[in-house]
Amino acid sequence: MARKVLILAGTKKGTFILESDASRRSWELRGPFCDTWPINHVIADPKTGTIYAGGGNEWFGPAVWKSTDQGKTWTHSSEGLAYKEGEEPVKAVWSLAIGPGGLYAGVEPAGLFHSADGGQTWTHIEGLSNHPSRQDWHPGGGGLILHSLVLHPEDDKQIWVGISSAGVFYTADGGETWQPRNKGTRADYLPEDQRYPELGQCVHSLVMAPGMPNRLYQQNHCGMYRSENGGQQWESIEAGLPSSFGFPAAAHPRDPDSLFLLPLNGDIAGRYMPDGKAAVWRTRDSGGTWQALRDGLPQTNAFFGVLRQALTTDSLEPAGVYFGTGGGALFASADEGDSWNCLSDYLPAIHSVETVVLDA
């Protein structure tokens, strides 16, 4: 059966969709959607094709948009996306995830919400916000946001989240209780004798290896890490990279040893491509060695950044890899990063990039 690929881009001015067939040689751009609201994350349910877009700000409020016809029409709901009266209000939705337990949304200020009806209504998972350490969570440069949502593929009780700047937290009981899982990750901005705290690290991205739910990869403000036990212990895998600093990480759809990164030149050095030369870095041995992939990417004056959710893969063979820049350029590779093309130059600032493969 013929298949098609959708690239889902969340931007400063709405959602954009690019569509191609399985060859991924030419793309049709549609949008902007979602009334040009600022959209932080767009995902799709591969089983139904339903698209969800989370975003908002202090002016619009938070909401999750929904399209059941691949972007032709949209509705949105914020029912239940609120903290109790008297608490700091929810400003925006920052991350979305679909799993066995339904639809989840991470928000700012950091918190987690669940929907059992496809985004129509939302329930606050209070166990995370009630964690004893909550008063010690401090905002990163982008605010106090829950930006990474990792769901166990088979057990709806197991969830990992990444919060800037509080660290990684894990629940085994559906969100009633949570444990910090940051052992082994540095916090270079703390005094030397406090570099490995229980929590307070600035995690930037958290992804799960395919077929290995206990293997997690983490791009941190202070290093790149792998865990083989669900985050109970982290090991550095940054040797061979041009920088220990970056935002996004993307797992291969089938190979648990393959991972893609976009290191930047440093947290106080500009936060752009090292030496102004764009590269996606790939490992085939779970971080033991790294290779820079540059063919087709700009190698002069590439002073752009890539945000934490703006790098992804697709599920085809060979896997496609995609990333979007803060300047609105969208790049794609149909051969696992060996070669690249620019699909669009002038989108609004790109906050997130995801894909879905559907029957045509």
Side-chain angles (χ1 to χ4, degrees):
M1 181 178 292
R3 291 179 293 176
K4 61 182 175 181
V5 186
L6 302 184
I7 303 173
L8 311 170
T11 81
K12 186 178 181 179
K13 299 180 182 180
T15 295
F16 290 81
I17 299 174
L18 289 88
E19 182 176 329
S20 181
D21 60 21
S23 71
R24 297 165 292 184
R25 283 192 290 267
S26 62
W27 296 84
E28 176 191 357
L29 174 67
R30 296 185 277 124
F33 302 116
C34 305
D35 288 351
T36 67
W37 279 33
I39 299 296
N40 293 317
H41 198 202
V42 189
I43 64 171
D45 185 339
K47 296 179 180 178
T48 66
T50 299
I51 301 171
Y52 299 96
N57 58 20
E58 292 176 86
W59 177 260
F60 292 106
V64 174
W65 293 74
K66 178 179 180 179
S67 176
T68 58
D69 52 15
Q70 297 175 29
K72 294 185 178 76
T73 60
W74 296 80
T75 59
H76 70 86
S77 175
S78 59
E79 185 177 346
L81 275 172
Y83 294 135
K84 293 178 181 177
E85 186 175 351
E87 297 181 358
E88 186 177 358
V90 175
K91 297 178 182 178
V93 174
W94 272 85
S95 56
L96 297 168
I98 300 171
L103 182 64
Y104 293 83
V107 304
E108 178 191 6
L112 183 62
F113 287 78
H114 173 256
S115 176
D117 57 10
Q120 297 304 306
T121 61
W122 296 88
T123 301
H124 181 208
I125 298 178
E126 297 185 6
L128 181 60
S129 296
N130 292 336
H131 193 273
S133 68
R134 178 63 181 82
Q135 62 183 2
D136 298 320
W137 299 0
H138 300 292
L144 184 61
I145 57 176
L146 195 161
H147 53 69
S148 291
L149 259 171
V150 177
L151 310 180
H152 194 285
E154 298 173 351
D155 182 357
D156 63 358
K157 299 296 185 183
Q158 295 191 61
I159 305 171
W160 293 259
V161 299
I163 300 172
S164 294
S165 291
V168 175
F169 288 79
Y170 165 78
T171 180
D173 55 19
E176 293 185 22
T177 60
W178 295 80
Q179 308 165 6
R181 291 212 163 171
N182 302 295
K183 188 176 181 181
T185 54
R186 301 189 313 276
D188 290 339
Y189 39 80
L190 295 179
E192 189 170 351
D193 61 348
Q194 302 174 32
R195 291 284 170 83
Y196 291 89
E198 182 183 20
L199 52 88
Q201 290 87 339
C202 189
V203 55
H204 282 179
S205 181
L206 183 69
V207 297
M208 178 182 287
M212 296 182 66
N214 281 325
R215 175 179 287 178
L216 303 175
Y217 294 101
Q218 177 188 161
Q219 173 68 70
N220 194 283
H221 189 107
C222 306
M224 185 64 209
Y225 301 91
R226 184 189 69 240
S227 174
E228 299 289 352
N229 53 14
Q232 296 180 64
Q233 177 69 47
W234 295 91
E235 304 294 336
S236 172
I237 56 171
E238 64 197 60
L241 292 170
S243 167
S244 62
F245 180 85
F247 284 100
H252 190 280
R254 291 170 296 277
D255 180 6
D257 294 333
S258 291
L259 184 76
F260 301 90
L261 294 182
L262 270 158
L264 302 180
N265 68 333
D267 58 347
I268 59 174
R271 301 189 177 197
Y272 52 73
M273 295 287 108
D275 301 319
K277 300 177 180 180
V280 174
W281 290 73
R282 180 180 66 198
T283 181
R284 295 292 202 189
D285 53 10
S286 61
T289 59
W290 296 92
Q291 177 187 8
L293 309 172
R294 302 181 184 274
D295 185 14
L297 295 177
Q299 296 303 293
T300 57
N301 301 323
F303 299 108
F304 57 74
V306 179
L307 297 178
R308 68 182 85 242
Q309 290 165 296
L311 170 68
T312 194
T313 59
D314 68 31
S315 60
L316 293 176
E317 177 65 51
V321 189
Y322 310 84
F323 71 90
T325 75
L330 181 62
F331 292 91
S333 169
D335 52 17
E336 306 200 354
D338 289 337
S339 62
W340 295 87
N341 292 294
C342 184
L343 302 186
S344 183
D345 291 294
Y346 303 117
L347 293 177
I350 297 173
H351 297 158
S352 71
V353 181
E354 300 286 0
T355 66
V356 65
V357 178
L358 302 171
D359 292 335

